[in-house]
Amino acid sequence: MKSGLYIIATPIGNIRDMSERAIECLKEADVIACEDTRISKKLLSLLGVSLKKNFITLHDHNESQHADKLIELINTEDKSVALISDAGSPLISDPGYKLIRVCKEAGVYVTTIPGCCALICALQLSGLPTNRFMFAGFIPNKDKARKEAFLSVKNIQATIVFYETANRIVKTLEAMQEIFTNREIAVVREITKLYEESINGTAQELIKEFAEHPRKGEMVIVIAPPAEEELEKSATDIETELRAKLTTQSLKDAVKEVAEKYNLNKKSVYETALRIKDEE
């Protein structure tokens, strides 16, 4: 096996989704870089991969520190390193980005062994448009940060994908109801497992469903793009309101009130207000 870094996707539920090539690479790799050695060793054991390897824990807090060590193992000791996450494709809301950057700068051979990725699977199962989408990562836990995250993507003309946990799903959907009122939303869970399901509806409908029938497990939330009428109405209403308020209020106060009323990101409203001022 050629020395270098091998980015290897692991199953997100069903162990049979692990490809033969991925298993072969894990068996031949000299070093396994992973998030949690306990989880990774359990998986490798089930796959028949020897645990008599050098394991290095790689997470957000030590990635920069361990990158140099891994590069030294590859370039100086001619080692092959397999990078895996707890589940799914490494780097997708998981550590690894910094390591890849440093490896490329150091001339290290980097390749990928593709496989499962929860966001792609969720898009396929959701029944929502897939021609253009944006992955927005994990939803913030705090109310203000959560709302700001939703406002920042509200008017993006693409399907939006978030990761969320079951214990926060109702609270998250309640916040989404305020921002994405009539949008179709799909909550996809237990992907590739026995109880896999994709539940579609408005935020209000989904709140009722999950409140009455709580579910467990990791979840992916897929939000339909805004309809053209929604974008047009929003833009017209915002500009009309801003023009009226700017005749009697300061730019700062007008922007604040309009942003809060329409659940918008202040930056975009501020840009519109500046354009109106310039026209005048």
Side-chain angles (χ1 to χ4, degrees):
M1 187 175 181
K2 180 179 178 179
S3 63
L5 181 68
Y6 295 77
I7 307 167
I8 302 177
T10 55
I12 56 177
N14 194 321
I15 195 169
R16 290 178 295 175
D17 291 333
M18 195 76 175
S19 72
E20 291 182 12
R21 181 178 172 220
I23 296 172
E24 182 182 349
C25 285
L26 287 170
K27 287 180 177 179
E28 294 184 11
D30 300 307
V31 180
I32 306 291
C34 57
E35 289 181 83
D36 188 322
T37 56
R38 294 167 300 179
I39 293 174
S40 295
K41 285 181 178 180
K42 181 178 179 181
L43 171 65
L44 296 184
S45 179
L46 291 170
L47 294 171
V49 177
S50 172
L51 301 183
K52 294 180 179 179
K53 293 178 181 287
N54 181 9
F55 284 81
I56 294 179
T57 304
L58 191 78
H59 49 69
D60 289 331
H61 302 296
N62 69 7
E63 187 176 349
S64 298
Q65 174 189 347
H66 284 182
D68 291 337
K69 181 179 180 180
L70 291 170
I71 289 172
E72 184 179 351
L73 287 170
I74 295 168
N75 281 345
T76 306
E77 301 183 29
D78 204 32
K79 300 291 186 181
S80 55
V81 178
L83 173 65
I84 60 177
S85 61
D86 288 346
S89 297
L91 280 77
I92 309 301
S93 274
D94 284 326
Y97 158 74
K98 296 174 186 175
L99 172 61
I100 306 304
R101 291 282 298 179
V102 176
C103 282
K104 291 174 77 68
E105 290 168 2
V108 169
Y109 172 72
V110 179
T111 189
T112 181
I113 316 298
C116 291
C117 180
L119 84 93
I120 299 299
C121 294
L123 278 165
Q124 293 169 328
L125 293 170
S126 70
L128 297 178
T130 57
N131 60 315
R132 188 180 185 200
F133 63 88
M134 173 185 169
F135 176 54
F138 283 97
I139 295 172
N141 189 27
K142 295 186 177 180
D143 293 343
K144 183 179 178 182
R146 184 190 297 110
K147 183 176 181 179
E148 288 176 351
F150 294 160
L151 289 175
S152 70
V153 300
K154 178 184 178 183
N155 293 320
I156 292 177
Q157 297 179 57
T159 299
I160 307 297
V161 184
F162 283 104
Y163 284 168
E164 186 54 291
T165 55
N167 63 313
R168 299 194 316 211
I169 189 65
V170 172
K171 190 172 184 179
T172 290
L173 288 168
E174 287 172 345
M176 284 186 169
Q177 183 179 12
E178 183 182 352
I179 311 297
F180 308 105
T181 310
N182 295 313
R183 300 262 192 103
E184 183 178 358
I185 298 172
V187 177
V188 189
R189 59 180 289 274
E190 294 294 278
I191 300 172
T192 77
K193 299 179 184 179
L194 181 62
Y195 297 107
E196 173 185 282
E197 62 179 345
S198 176
I199 310 168
N200 291 46
T202 62
Q204 185 176 6
E205 291 167 341
L206 292 171
I207 290 167
K208 184 175 185 296
E209 173 65 27
F210 283 97
E212 293 178 355
H213 308 285
R215 269 81 156 182
K216 296 180 180 180
E218 299 298 319
M219 298 181 174
V220 184
I221 300 177
V222 187
I223 306 168
E228 285 187 20
E229 312 87 77
E230 181 183 341
L231 291 172
E232 290 171 2
K233 183 178 184 303
S234 177
T236 302
D237 290 349
I238 292 162
E239 187 160 335
T240 301
E241 186 111 8
L242 271 175
R243 288 184 184 278
K245 288 185 178 297
L246 286 170
T247 60
T248 58
Q249 294 178 303
S250 68
L251 187 143
K252 181 180 178 181
D253 289 341
V255 167
K256 180 181 178 183
E257 288 186 15
V258 171
E260 289 178 353
K261 179 176 178 178
Y262 292 95
N263 289 316
L264 295 170
N265 184 287
K266 285 184 181 180
K267 184 179 178 181
S268 63
V269 179
Y270 183 75
E271 290 171 354
T272 302
L274 285 180
R275 177 174 59 78
I276 292 170
K277 280 286 190 182
D278 289 341
E279 288 175 1
E280 294 173 349

